[in-house]
Amino acid sequence: MYPEAEFDACGCGGQCGCSSEHGAMVALTREEYIQRLEAYLRELRAEIEAVERELAELRQVA
C-alpha cells in the first residue's frame, strides 16, 4: 500500500497537503507515520468516550 521508505505529510502533522497554510511539507519515516496514526487513534478513542459519556448523561436526565 505504501512504499517502505518515507511518507509525505503536511507540516501540520496531517496528510491534508495544505503546506501553504501550515508550513513546509515533511517526510515521515514509516515508524514516525505509525506513531502519528497511533496518537491520532488514541485521540479519537478519547473523543468517542467523551461523546458516549455526554449521551449517557443526557439520556439519564430525559
Side-chain angles (χ1 to χ4, degrees), residues 19-61:
S19 61
S20 62
E21 293 180 26
H22 296 292
M25 296 290 283
V26 296
L28 297 176
T29 65
R30 177 184 167 99
E31 287 304 313
E32 290 170 330
Y33 187 60
I34 289 170
Q35 289 174 354
R36 285 197 182 181
L37 285 177
E38 288 173 340
Y40 179 56
L41 184 57
R42 284 190 299 273
E43 291 172 11
L44 287 174
R45 286 180 175 148
E47 186 69 22
I48 289 168
E49 289 176 11
V51 169
E52 288 174 336
R53 279 193 305 272
E54 186 172 352
L55 277 172
E57 290 173 8
L58 289 170
R59 287 179 177 141
Q60 287 178 358
V61 174

